[in-house]
Amino acid sequence: DVKVTQSSRYLVKRTGEKVFLECVQDMDHENMFWYRQDPGLGLRLIYFSYDVKMKEKGDIPEGYSVSREKKERFSLILESASTNQTSMYLCASRRGQGGQPQHFGDGTRLSIL
Amino acid sequence: RKEVEQDPGPFNVPEGATVAFNCTYSNSASQSFFWYRQDCRKEPKLLMSVYSSGNEDGRFTAQLNRASQYISLLIRDSKLSDSATYLCVVNSGDTGRRALTFGSGTRLQVQP
């Protein structure tokens, strides 16, 4: 069974802090993704990666960066946290291309005060 | 127009009822389709893939209509535990590296 693990379920940070969200998957998946989910807006893609050290912007990359130094780990970085980045953050991974489903981690509820 | 559109609901149905959700997608090149289920404050979980010929998994039936660009999910004999948000998911059919596109979800509330 696929396991996608996010480092924290709940996180509270202050405006201006640099925030790291970590995600690890144990199924040797090539593709990894970061989303945020807000009421009424659904899932929005922030960044994704299809290989080690490769990354592509999603639909809302502003204010975020990512790092994929190892295949199993994909980190999301909030360079200078702002209150509008308070959200549920979901990491996902997927094998190969095209027809495979994505598997999600439990999510991190991030509050920026 | 959104790439993937769903009626947000909520659909309020009694236990034992049959309920159906539709979802339309805009990219005719889309190749892969899924239904996910998301419980309140939890992550989305794969419910079932949707195949061209239609497929069934217990009380759940998924169908694809490429000509009209929609997929459907039918739930028979609804249970209280079916209460959740159901997300329609589409792969746009490019290189495949792109993430899947998620609809905003249809909320189902099954009542005793």
Side-chain angles (χ1 to χ4, degrees), chain A residues 53-71:
Chain A
K53 296 192 185 295
M54 304 301 287
K55 60 186 178 185
E56 287 197 27
K57 293 179 180 179
D59 300 317
I60 50 162
E62 296 78 20
Y64 303 94
S65 62
V66 290
S67 172
R68 188 140 182 230
E69 296 297 316
K70 295 184 178 181
K71 192 174 185 179

Side-chain angles (χ1 to χ4, degrees), chain A residues 33 45 48 58-59 94, chain B residues 91-92 94-100:
Chain A
F33 310 89
L45 181 66
F48 68 104
D59 300 317
R94 189 177 85 214
Chain B
N91 178 281
S92 66
D94 52 11
T95 63
R97 289 174 171 171
R98 197 68 167 83
L100 303 178

Side-chain angles (χ1 to χ4, degrees), chain A residues 85-96:
Chain A
Q85 292 179 308
T86 291
S87 186
M88 166 74 121
Y89 289 87
L90 288 156
C91 175
S93 74
R94 189 177 85 214
R95 181 178 303 286

Side-chain angles (χ1 to χ4, degrees), chain A residues 9 33 35 37 41-43 45 48 50 59 88 90 94 96-106 109, chain B residues 2 31-32 34 36 38 40-46 49 87 91 95-104:
Chain A
R9 289 297 303 274
F33 310 89
Y35 294 86
Q37 187 173 31
L41 296 177
L43 280 160
L45 181 66
F48 68 104
Y50 53 86
D59 300 317
M88 166 74 121
L90 288 156
R94 189 177 85 214
Q97 299 184 3
Q100 298 299 312
Q102 287 174 195
H103 301 273
F104 286 86
D106 291 343
R109 286 205 170 273
Chain B
K2 289 183 180 179
Q31 296 179 354
S32 307
F34 309 92
Y36 277 69
Q38 186 172 23
C40 189
R41 303 177 79 83
K42 296 287 185 72
E43 77 278 16
K45 292 186 178 178
L46 178 67
S49 301
L87 303 172
N91 178 281
T95 63
R97 289 174 171 171
R98 197 68 167 83
L100 303 178
T101 302
F102 285 74
S104 297

Side-chain angles (χ1 to χ4, degrees), chain B residues 14-64:
Chain B
E15 270 188 289
T18 295
V19 61
F21 311 133
N22 278 348
C23 163
T24 58
Y25 59 95
S26 60
N27 188 341
S28 59
S30 299
Q31 296 179 354
S32 307
F33 308 89
F34 309 92
W35 283 102
Y36 277 69
R37 170 197 169 124
Q38 186 172 23
D39 293 293
C40 189
R41 303 177 79 83
K42 296 287 185 72
E43 77 278 16
K45 292 186 178 178
L46 178 67
L47 179 64
M48 58 197 303
S49 301
V50 185
Y51 302 121
S52 297
S53 55
N55 48 298
E56 191 173 301
D57 182 1
R59 297 182 294 108
F60 299 84
T61 300
Q63 295 206 310
L64 168 64

